[in-house]
Amino acid sequence: MAFLAAAIAVGLGALGAGIGNGMIVSKTVEGIARQPELRGPLQTTMFIGVGIVEVVPLIGVVIAFLIMASA
């Protein structure tokens, strides 16, 4: 049962990060299409946002390891 909980934690973390990254990149491309002169600042903000979103699956993996270690 602990392995199932660990798999769900990792899977949902990856799913959330994938959706979040897709939304961030799509909105950045939309913003660049509207105002091409803001490409640099928009990309910088996008990369910061993607980095923050990528922490979610890492935390999911840590939680999964803790769940498996306690079983």
Side-chain angles (χ1 to χ4, degrees):
M1 192 59 114
F3 293 113
L4 179 63
I8 290 172
V10 172
L12 289 178
L15 180 68
I19 292 171
N21 282 335
M23 291 175 63
I24 289 171
V25 173
S26 72
K27 295 298 181 182
T28 301
V29 170
E30 185 178 316
I32 292 171
R34 289 179 185 213
Q35 294 184 340
E37 67 273 6
L38 293 178
R39 179 180 180 198
L42 287 173
Q43 279 186 336
T44 302
T45 305
M46 178 193 74
F47 288 134
I48 292 170
V50 167
I52 292 171
V53 168
E54 284 298 321
V55 171
V56 172
L58 292 175
I59 293 172
V61 169
V62 169
I63 290 173
F65 282 141
L66 291 173
I67 290 171
M68 289 191 308
S70 68

